[in-house]
Amino acid sequence: QQITDWPTEYYLSRGRHCLLRPLDIQPGDTVLELGCGCGALTRYLGEVGAKVVAVDGSAARARIAAERCSDLPNVRVFVDDLLRFQSSEKYDWVLLIGVLEYAPVFSLSDNPALHYLNQASSHLAVQGRLVIAIENKLGLKYFNACGEDHVGKPFFGIQGLYGEKSPCTY
């Protein structure tokens, strides 16, 4: 009942777990979720029995994720810079869901997306899998004049109008 707009749908909807269901994440799999937000996916991962380490750069969002998963002993939530997070563990799954498009905002690298991908993949076990989910700037909705997800302007991403330090749709 509290979901009233896109931000509350994005951060709070239980339906977001549908994104992960086809991946066949199993009980006991180790998962590093970089950019867990308010824990919509974190909760699902914990419920399927994965051992989850969830990280978010926002203390407020991480607190919500931690509260949302407080009854799941297999879920740990941390507040940290996603590019600086360190762990001695290597993970079966590393997730970057709704994160890569913000790389230009937070990375000082000449190639921010590659910087994020390298950091994320450094946490993978030998047979681990990196999962990336981002908007597609060539998606049908954008050709039909829907506003670009980060700036709300029609045709913005298709025309490549992003600034050097702004979020972008790939």
Side-chain angles (χ1 to χ4, degrees):
Q1 293 175 339
Q2 301 303 315
I3 296 174
T4 58
D5 55 13
W6 172 244
T8 55
E9 175 79 18
Y10 182 83
Y11 285 113
L12 301 175
S13 172
R14 291 180 51 84
R16 289 192 61 218
H17 77 276
C18 291
L19 176 72
L20 300 179
R21 289 177 66 195
L23 298 179
D24 197 33
I25 296 172
Q26 297 293 310
D29 283 0
T30 56
V31 178
L32 174 60
E33 184 185 10
L34 294 171
C36 67
C38 294
L41 299 175
T42 314
R43 176 77 199 186
Y44 168 77
L45 292 164
E47 287 176 349
V48 299
K51 296 175 186 172
V52 183
V53 171
V55 182
D56 203 89
S58 162
R61 286 192 301 262
R63 273 194 303 274
I64 293 168
E67 179 62 29
R68 191 174 200 166
C69 300
S70 63
D71 63 326
L72 298 171
N74 52 321
V75 175
R76 295 179 294 150
V77 179
F78 296 92
V79 178
D80 202 347
D81 181 322
L82 305 187
L83 291 170
R84 292 193 175 122
F85 177 76
Q86 294 182 6
S87 173
S88 59
E89 186 171 357
K90 297 296 182 182
Y91 298 86
D92 300 315
W93 301 88
V94 175
L95 309 181
L96 283 175
I97 310 295
V99 170
L100 198 58
E101 57 266 38
Y102 292 96
V105 177
F106 297 105
S107 172
L108 299 176
S109 170
D110 289 339
N111 190 334
L114 184 59
H115 188 195
Y116 266 72
L117 292 171
N118 284 336
Q119 179 62 20
S121 63
S122 74
H123 295 289
L124 286 170
V126 173
Q127 296 295 318
R129 290 165 267 188
L130 176 63
V131 177
I132 303 163
I134 55 176
E135 296 90 355
N136 174 1
K137 77 176 181 179
L138 302 178
L140 186 58
K141 73 178 190 176
Y142 298 123
F143 282 105
N144 284 303
C146 286
E148 194 275 348
D149 285 359
H150 303 99
V151 297
K153 296 179 183 174
F155 306 110
F156 194 87
I158 293 170
Q159 295 174 343
L161 300 175
Y162 300 106
E164 186 176 322
K165 289 291 184 184
S166 68
C168 62
T169 300
Y170 290 92

